[in-house]
Amino acid sequence: MKMIPRFAGRLLEWYRLHQRDLPWRKTRDPYRIWLSEVILQQTRVAQGLAYYERFVEHYPTVHHLAKAPIEEVLRLWQGLGYYSRARNLHAAARTISIQWAGRFPASYDELRRLKGVGDYTAAAIASFAFDEPVAVVDGNVFRVLARLYGLYDDISRTKTKHKFKALSEAHMPPQEAAAYNQAMMEFGAVQCTPQKPLCMTCPFRDDCYAAQYGKQQELPVKSKKTTKRKRYLSYRFFYRNGKLWMQERKQKDIWKGLYEPARIEAATAREMEQLLQNEAPAALWQQAQAIEQIRHLLTHQELFIDIGMLHLPPDAALPPFLKDGGDWFTPEECDALPKPIVIAQYFERHRHLLHE
DNA sequence: AATACGGGGTG
DNA sequence: CACCCAGTATT
């Protein structure tokens, strides 16, 4: 393959002129860099920015994070999605704080052993914080290289990732690993965007396969398609003696570690209807107020949620489905619990119905 | 190697 | 609606 001449130098010049001002680029603290990288996994800078600031403020060092209760970490993570990131982040913080006695793992191989740190994140921290000359390969790097060189390899394949990593590393100036990696990703995010890339002003326009042949939309090639499963969820906030009943999601499923109100679930709309008409709790369930129907989309699931709120008299017997596995929380305590965003938003909209 | 895991922005 | 986002863990 004929490599693009002076690629790194031209890329770094572009980066010098066009880079965004982002807080994690102003530090060499591996803790903060790690934090930013985990937050930004499958997440846009615009969405992750506020979370990064919040985490740095609450947990200025890895020890602060390690000492925090997991519920608090998940609550700060609320709304960002992929909650295993927060659980792994917390677990890794404890590993670093205790096993490594606070000395942050300082090489790709050491970093790679941390929970939630894969190939990309290990390379990012190793290069940004420790100048280790290892190339990052994220969605941006895939896109930039696939378009520049006209590579039709399926980026879903492991083999392709290795190929692109080697290709990027072949262009990397060993003394400028950090800036080069940053520049590759920034170029993908700002110039060589997924849709409507800015080819007219691109410094590589004359070198780029996709720009020359008009293949920007075909590249990169990604074969995988996700299938969506439908789920039907019915939720009720039960309010009694000034407290709300909430339970933790402990099973291996979406929203693990988050809290939710009482739930009835079905695989089909018909099954849900039957449950609500025939089951014992149905009568009580239907007395709720502020019932909303909400369609909530996840990557692999389409959720049809109906959710409501209902008051029980102080002496009311507990409905059978509230037996164990859950607990009663004051509205303020409920605020502090980590919840799926769709639940949290409903609660915010209707919490004024409490105390009446 | 394939699949699950959130939520939001873009065209 | 379809695609994608500074990916990782699990099977």
Side-chain angles (χ1 to χ4, degrees), chain A residues 166-179:
Chain A
L167 180 56
S168 187
E169 244 155 55
H171 293 84
M172 172 185 279
Q175 302 310 310
E176 294 180 89

Side-chain angles (χ1 to χ4, degrees), chain A residues 18 20 43 60 68 206 262 298 324 356:
Chain A
H18 299 286
R20 292 168 291 180
T43 303
D206 296 336
L298 310 182
D324 15 79
E356 284 177 8

Side-chain angles (χ1 to χ4, degrees), chain A residues 180-192:
Chain A
Y180 171 81
N181 276 338
Q182 291 276 12
M184 282 293 282
M185 293 192 287
E186 189 74 346
F187 186 77
V190 172
Q191 186 89 30
C192 194

